[in-house]
Amino acid sequence: MHPREPDLPPYQMVLSETDWGSLETPFGNGEDLPEVLARLLTPDPRVQVNALSELREMVGHQNTIHEATAPAALYVAGILTHPAATTPRPYRNVPIRATLLNWLASTAYDASDEIVGRTEQYSPGFLAPGTIVASFRDLRPMLYRAVSPFLRDSHEDVREAAVVAGLILAEHPALAGHRDHLAVHARAILDTSGDDPNRRVARRALEAWGHDAPDSEPLLEESWAWGPHSDGRSYLEPPF
């Protein structure tokens, strides 16, 4: 048995008790974030997706973790079970929950072992305790607890997004006990998914954890920003 991951704080508490105006973002402080986050719970999926796109720019500009990224991620993770997360995307019949999970996966990738390992080569102390990125990475077990219920979701898009997020979050040592289980899902992505970034995440996880991948296709080295849905391909941006 592996230890239970910590619970998320209620999303309402994250929204109301975070001092957003004191948190650094790429464009100043986070005083505008509560309004953007609140729009994620509107019944209009166009509004929701646009809000998530704004959020990505406001707390993850140029794939960078900022002070406001951590509470924003806790809020997004906290609303995964909200009824608004079941709203279907127009013309696709894909729940908004898949988009939220893709955002979490992409944000977690910005603080993944792959990315921070490269950054540390040029910025010693980048992961020192108490730094912004280190503090965000400490949240991975909590975020995983919110993501894991959707690993077997009935909707393929939600399921795949949850698996990709879970694979990235499970780099945290405290989540090592989940890796064999996640490896099964990673192989399923390699067997069935046509999404190249997701396949890359799955293959890297299997290789890092000492599991055999189901085929021998080469893994291309890509730019640092090339993570799961990092280019927003029809997930974070209009058109709908």
Side-chain angles (χ1 to χ4, degrees), residues 167 179-191 199-215:
L167 291 170
R179 292 173 185 170
D180 286 347
H181 171 67
L182 285 166
V184 176
H185 295 291
R187 291 192 186 94
I189 286 179
L190 290 175
D191 286 342
R199 291 173 58 81
R200 180 173 181 267
V201 169
R203 176 169 289 280
R204 280 197 175 275
L206 290 172
E207 292 175 349
W209 301 340
H211 290 268
D212 293 331
D215 56 51

Side-chain angles (χ1 to χ4, degrees), residues 112-229:
S112 66
D113 290 352
E114 177 186 359
I115 298 302
V116 301
R118 293 177 177 179
T119 305
E120 277 200 301
Q121 296 177 23
Y122 305 98
S123 302
F126 180 68
L127 273 183
T131 59
I132 293 172
V133 173
S135 297
F136 179 84
R137 283 162 60 88
D138 288 343
L139 296 176
R140 288 177 293 177
M142 190 178 292
L143 295 173
Y144 182 84
R145 180 166 174 77
V147 166
S148 60
F150 303 102
L151 294 173
R152 296 187 179 277
D153 195 85
S154 60
H155 197 288
E156 179 182 2
D157 294 77
V158 173
R159 185 169 64 249
E160 183 166 331
V163 170
V164 172
L167 291 170
I168 298 168
L169 295 168
E171 293 177 344
H172 193 289
L175 297 172
H178 296 279
R179 292 173 185 170
D180 286 347
H181 171 67
L182 285 166
V184 176
H185 295 291
R187 291 192 186 94
I189 286 179
L190 290 175
D191 286 342
T192 63
S193 177
D195 187 288
D196 287 340
N198 287 355
R199 291 173 58 81
R200 180 173 181 267
V201 169
R203 176 169 289 280
R204 280 197 175 275
L206 290 172
E207 292 175 349
W209 301 340
H211 290 268
D212 293 331
D215 56 51
S216 58
E217 67 181 41
L219 181 65
L220 299 177
E221 290 297 326
E222 299 287 346
S223 69
W224 292 23
W226 198 71
H229 301 294

Side-chain angles (χ1 to χ4, degrees), residues 56-86:
R56 176 67 179 168
E57 185 69 9
M58 293 173 73
V59 304
H61 181 68
Q62 295 184 337
N63 303 96
T64 302
I65 302 295
H66 298 275
E67 286 181 341
T69 307
L74 290 176
Y75 180 91
V76 171
I79 65 172
L80 288 174
T81 57
H82 192 280
T86 64

Side-chain angles (χ1 to χ4, degrees), residues 40-59:
L40 294 175
L41 298 183
T42 62
D44 186 338
R46 294 172 176 80
V47 174
Q48 291 174 304
V49 174
N50 282 328
L52 201 54
S53 180
E54 288 180 49
L55 182 63
R56 176 67 179 168
E57 185 69 9
M58 293 173 73
V59 304

